[in-house]
């Protein structure tokens, strides 16, 4: 009996809910932690980044206008879908990170739990970051958090699934939309995650994932006048400086990269959500 | 009014039968060929300095349009200000060619663009359906011209055209053309269109190609409008989908090219509706250059009917100037 032909997966980008190839037609070789060939991933260009920003902008009114309850449900749905493909993700994390299967299983579980954890925050973050402010006048004065807009996210190089989920979830749970530049070294789990997102009732364009060289794509996102914030978690120190300079042009919110290695298993707190929220304050006269 | 024709086509328009014989005697359009040629020309890559020139040319060809039931004088004035100075922060941006409004807002627009060289176009003749009597259409045209419009965008009677009553369509166009000249006169000296240097308002004939069903009909309607005296042929009202498409514009450009060869008279073309991005606009410019020729790369002979296109052109212009992608937050909402 002849051996069955291997059906290999084509890793493409995730933009506006679809899976296009890079408009540049380029790809690059992705290897495992041990150096074995894994696949060719799409190498996104600045024009792919531009298209992704347009998709994220288009998705923003619908996503930010959805109820917090609805956004929480959808994030929970992402966790459900991820659970159903647990084995696939464990295998990909083993290849990408070179960890043992047991450890990889823990990391995938943590990623699923992280999504559930953030899903729960969707309708509670307002109560934590909002407030009724005492003011010296006859007014009710109320502050409530609102999403910043389109957020560019440079995913961390380590933690191909848990790290990625830990930077995407806090951005979108509050109503932002995002353009994620995946880990350059280990981009394959991000595209598999995109397949999960595409089947989780998440509206197209809320999360857009680009694979390729961060140093090539990030400066275009940092300078883009229609991007409202940038998360530099995955940036090298030099890239972070360049990006922060470009980001100043339209006063983007910038989340600087962490000082040292991050343990993604630790409870993240509300910091990442708070980083991409604006505060709206309303003065309301008392009486009629 | 048929007798006013001085073109070699005077005898064509003597009866419906002769018009029909002429229009149906035009060569048929190869649909697959036209689609393929338009698609092929759309793949031309226009970059860097050529793109910069194309963007400025396109800005100068825009007929900035607002044709909504909710149009207010304030909205029209805001649009006129934008047409005169598309980017207030950058005086090197050229003005748009014209503004296009409903007849009742012509006076407001004329006042707003006065002295800028931007022309005021008005739709008329029971826009967008064209379903009214000839008297009403002529009267509406005359009122718009009297209010100061230097260009009239009329719609043809598609019902009559599709029913084969070409003479009726012809006579309507000729009558509206006559009204464009008659009512102008004294009003035009201080009007915004004074730069045109002639008395009669320019007539743009809207074929509404989305309702004409076939490319053969587009060719026939183009010729009919040109013979009847139209100064421009325009694809669509923007109220019907599909509006302007590249193949339809290609056929119309071929028609004006062939008409100019036979009569020496150059007729303009205006695609309108659905042109929203710089990329689209540049595709049209390539089509013009390759079909009618570089003579038509001029706002007097080619216009783009659009509203949201202008912002995209400005954003692309800024991207070329600053090297970073521009965002709509920094341009006017309109």
């Amino acid at each position: 009996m002849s051996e069955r032909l291997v059906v290999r997966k084509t890793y493409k980008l995730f933009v506006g809910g679809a899976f296009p190839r890079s408009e540049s037609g380029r790809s690059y070789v992705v290897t495992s932690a041990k150096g074995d060939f894994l696949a060719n991933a799409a190498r996104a260009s600045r024009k792919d980044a531009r298209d992704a920003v347009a998709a994220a902008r288009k998705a923003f009114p619908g996503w930010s206008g959805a109820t917090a309850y609805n956004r929480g449900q959808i994030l929970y749905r992402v966790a459900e879908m991820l659970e159903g493909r647990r084995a696939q993700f464990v295998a990909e994390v083993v290849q990408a990170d070179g960890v043992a299967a047991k450890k990889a299983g823990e990391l995938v579980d943590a990623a699923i739990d992280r999504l559930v954890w953030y899903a729960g925050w969707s309708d509670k973050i307002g109560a934590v970051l909002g407030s009724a402010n005492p003011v010296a006048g006859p007014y009710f004065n109320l502050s409530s958090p609102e999403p910043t807009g389109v957020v560019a996210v440079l995913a961390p190089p380590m933690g191909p699934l848990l790290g990625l989920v830990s930077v995407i979830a806090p951005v979108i749970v509050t109503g932002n939309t995002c353009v994620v530049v995946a880990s350059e070294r280990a981009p394959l789990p991000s595209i598999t995650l995109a397949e999960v997102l595409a089947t989780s009732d998440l509206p197209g364009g809320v999360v857009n994932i680009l694979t390729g060289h961060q140093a090539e794509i990030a400066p275009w996102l940092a300078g883009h006048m229609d991007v409202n914030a940038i998360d530099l978690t995955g940036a090298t120190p030099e890239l972070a400086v360049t990006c922060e300079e470009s980001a100043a042009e339209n006063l983007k919110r910038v989340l600087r990269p962490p000082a040292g290695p991050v343990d993604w298993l630790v409870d993240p707190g509300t910091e990442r959500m708070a980083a991409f929220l604006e505060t709206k304050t309303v003065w309301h006269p008392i009486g009629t | 009014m048929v007798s006013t024709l001085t073109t070699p086509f005077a005898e064509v328009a003597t009866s419906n039968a002769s018009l029909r014989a002429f229009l149906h005697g035009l060569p048929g359009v190869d649909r697959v060929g036209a689609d393929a040629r338009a698609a092929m020309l759309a793949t031309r890559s226009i970059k860097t300095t050529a793109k910069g020139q194309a963007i400025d040319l396109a800005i100068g060809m825009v007929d900035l349009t607002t044709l909504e039931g909710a149009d207010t004088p304030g909205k029209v004035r805001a649009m006129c200000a934008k047409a005169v100075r598309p980017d207030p922060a950058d005086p090197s941006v050229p003005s748009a060619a014209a503004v296009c409004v409903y007849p009742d807002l012509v006076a407001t627009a004329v006042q707003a663009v006065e002295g800028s060289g931007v022309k005021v176009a008005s739709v008329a003749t029971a826009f967008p359906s064209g379903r009214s009597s000839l008297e009403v259409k002529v009267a509406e045209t005359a009122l718009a011209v009297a209010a100061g419009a230097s260009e009239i965008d009329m719609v043809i009677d598609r019902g009559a055209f599709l029913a084969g009553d070409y003479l009726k369509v012809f006579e309507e166009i000729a009558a509206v053309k006559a009204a464009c000249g008659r009512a102008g006169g004294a009003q035009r000296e201080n009007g915004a269109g004074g730069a045109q240097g002639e008395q009669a308002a320019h007539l743009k004939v809207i074929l509404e190609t989305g309702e004409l069903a076939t490319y053969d009909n587009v060719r026939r309607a183009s010729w009919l409008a040109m013979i009847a005296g139209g100064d421009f042929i325009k694809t669509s009202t923007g109220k019907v989908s599909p509006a302007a498409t590249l193949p339809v514009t290609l056929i119309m450009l071929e028609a004006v090219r062939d008409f100019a060869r036979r009569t020496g008279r150059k007729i303009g073309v205006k695609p309108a509706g659905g042109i929203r991005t710089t990329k689209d606009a540049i595709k049209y410019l390539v089509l013009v250059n390759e079909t009618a020729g570089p003579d038509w790369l001029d706002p007097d002979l080619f216009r783009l009917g659009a509203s949201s296109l202008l912002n995209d052109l400005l954003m692309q212009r800024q991207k070329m100037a600053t090297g970073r992608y521009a965002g709509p937050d920094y341009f006017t909402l309109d």
Side-chain angles (χ1 to χ4, degrees):
Chain A
M1 197 176 123
S2 65
E3 204 175 315
R4 189 168 165 263
L5 275 176
V6 181
V7 181
R8 288 208 179 86
K9 183 157 112 188
T10 310
Y11 289 88
K12 297 190 277 189
L13 308 174
F14 183 53
V15 176
F19 291 89
R21 289 181 167 81
S22 168
E23 63 77 38
S24 64
R26 300 174 305 176
S27 60
Y28 71 108
V29 172
V30 178
T31 56
S32 72
K34 290 185 196 127
D36 302 330
F37 173 83
L38 284 180
N40 291 308
R43 186 178 152 197
S45 68
R46 67 177 171 88
K47 292 189 179 178
D48 293 313
R50 173 199 65 188
D51 294 348
V53 171
R57 175 58 62 195
K58 198 168 162 218
F60 181 71
W63 183 243
S64 59
T67 60
Y69 172 69
N70 186 224
R71 285 199 299 269
Q73 279 184 313
I74 289 172
L75 249 68
Y76 191 84
R77 179 80 178 155
V78 175
E80 288 174 14
M81 295 290 110
L82 205 54
E83 182 76 41
R85 294 172 74 154
R86 189 176 175 281
Q88 186 185 1
F89 278 102
V90 169
E92 288 198 353
V93 170
V94 167
Q95 285 178 329
D97 261 4
V99 293
K102 183 162 177 293
K103 174 71 176 163
E106 285 167 22
L107 291 170
V108 173
D109 289 345
I112 297 168
D113 294 350
R114 180 74 28 97
L115 276 164
V116 173
W117 188 80
Y118 274 118
W121 270 110
S122 68
D123 54 1
K124 298 168 189 71
I125 192 75
V128 175
L129 297 178
S131 57
N133 313 311
V135 289
Y139 302 100
F140 284 131
N141 188 279
L142 301 164
S143 293
S144 61
E146 303 227 316
T148 298
V150 174
V151 182
V153 178
L154 305 188
M158 308 306 287
L161 181 66
L162 178 58
L164 182 69
V165 164
S166 300
V167 293
I168 293 178
V171 169
I172 63 172
V173 69
T174 54
N176 296 296
T177 57
C178 64
V179 176
V180 182
V181 187
S183 160
E184 193 168 321
R185 188 187 60 81
L188 305 187
S190 73
I191 295 304
T192 310
L193 178 69
E195 291 160 12
V196 167
L197 299 174
T199 50
S200 306
D201 304 330
L202 191 74
V206 172
V207 176
N208 304 278
I209 299 178
L210 305 174
T211 56
H213 298 345
Q214 286 197 342
E216 179 191 350
I217 308 166
W220 288 99
L221 291 170
H224 200 308
M225 299 296 274
D226 203 23
V227 172
N228 303 106
I230 187 163
D231 175 353
L232 296 172
T233 299
T236 59
E238 306 82 62
L239 182 61
V241 170
T242 328
C243 286
E244 201 168 333
E245 279 170 5
S246 310
E249 185 66 28
N250 72 335
L251 307 178
K252 281 182 190 64
R253 296 215 171 266
V254 174
L255 185 65
R256 290 186 172 150
V262 184
D263 180 3
W264 293 107
L265 287 162
V266 172
D267 176 354
T270 58
E271 281 163 37
R272 287 191 161 268
M273 286 183 284
F276 304 112
L277 288 170
E278 308 298 320
T279 301
K280 179 174 77 180
T281 297
V282 180
W283 295 68
H284 183 73
I286 293 171
T288 51
Chain B
M1 54 203 58
V2 173
S3 62
T4 60
L5 280 175
T6 53
T7 67
F9 300 103
E11 73 288 353
V12 167
T14 50
S15 71
N16 199 39
S18 61
L19 259 179
R20 185 182 176 79
F22 173 76
L23 294 176
H24 285 257
L26 291 168
V29 180
D30 169 6
R31 174 174 278 271
V32 175
D35 286 345
R37 176 147 179 84
M40 185 271 285
L41 289 173
T43 61
R44 289 275 173 89
S45 181
I46 309 291
K47 299 291 180 202
T48 59
T49 48
K51 185 177 177 186
Q53 285 178 6
I55 289 173
D56 279 4
L57 184 60
I59 292 173
M61 287 174 166
V62 167
D63 275 10
L64 202 56
T65 304
T66 182
L67 296 169
E68 305 290 336
D71 286 347
T72 59
K75 187 181 173 193
V76 168
R77 277 194 292 269
M79 188 184 76
C80 289
K82 180 151 183 167
V84 172
R85 182 66 82 81
D87 185 350
D90 184 356
S92 69
V93 180
S95 296
V99 292
C100 183
V101 295
Y102 272 120
D104 60 326
L105 290 162
V106 167
T108 311
V110 166
Q111 205 177 16
V113 301
E114 198 171 359
S116 66
V118 174
K119 293 165 187 166
V120 176
S122 169
V123 296
T125 73
F127 182 91
S129 66
R131 303 230 81 99
S132 192
S133 66
L134 181 58
E135 290 78 10
V136 169
K137 292 178 182 180
V138 169
E140 193 181 14
T141 306
L143 286 171
V145 175
S150 48
E151 301 179 353
I152 296 294
D153 289 24
M154 74 167 288
V155 288
I156 64 165
D157 184 340
R158 279 88 75 192
F161 181 89
L162 292 170
D165 196 351
Y166 299 128
L167 191 62
K168 184 179 180 208
V169 179
F170 177 92
E171 288 180 341
E172 272 194 6
I173 298 171
V176 172
K177 171 75 177 171
C180 286
R182 246 200 330 271
Q187 293 281 338
R188 310 204 39 71
E189 294 307 319
N190 49 7
Q196 228 162 273
E198 55 188 85
Q199 295 293 302
H202 263 208
L203 179 64
K204 304 198 199 103
V205 183
I206 303 173
L207 310 179
E208 195 62 294
T209 53
E211 292 183 345
L212 295 183
T214 67
Y215 287 179
D216 285 341
N217 276 344
V218 172
R219 178 169 284 174
R220 288 173 193 145
S222 301
W223 277 88
L224 183 59
M226 291 188 293
I227 294 169
D231 299 301
F232 252 86
I233 49 177
K234 173 173 165 183
T235 59
S236 340
T237 58
K239 305 288 186 196
V240 169
S241 183
T245 65
L246 285 169
V248 156
T249 311
L250 172 73
I251 291 159
M252 290 166 64
L253 285 163
E254 286 173 352
V256 299
R257 176 196 65 196
D258 295 345
F259 187 80
R261 280 183 190 158
R262 283 175 70 166
T263 65
R265 198 168 146 240
K266 286 177 181 162
I267 306 292
V269 176
K270 175 179 170 184
I275 308 168
R276 295 199 176 83
T277 64
T278 302
K279 206 173 247 184
D280 289 342
I282 292 177
K283 285 176 188 172
Y284 279 99
L285 295 183
V286 171
L287 203 62
V288 170
N289 191 52
E290 297 297 321
T291 310
D295 284 0
W296 266 264
L297 286 176
D298 183 305
D300 286 342
L301 287 173
F302 191 75
R303 296 280 180 83
L304 295 158
S307 38
S308 56
L309 169 66
L310 186 55
N311 268 1
D312 197 67
L313 287 164
L314 294 174
M315 288 205 290
Q316 285 293 322
R317 205 175 185 281
Q318 199 174 80
K319 154 78 173 59
M320 297 194 73
T322 63
R324 57 163 56 88
Y325 287 116
D329 286 357
Y330 302 90
F331 294 90
T332 54
L333 284 173
D334 34 29

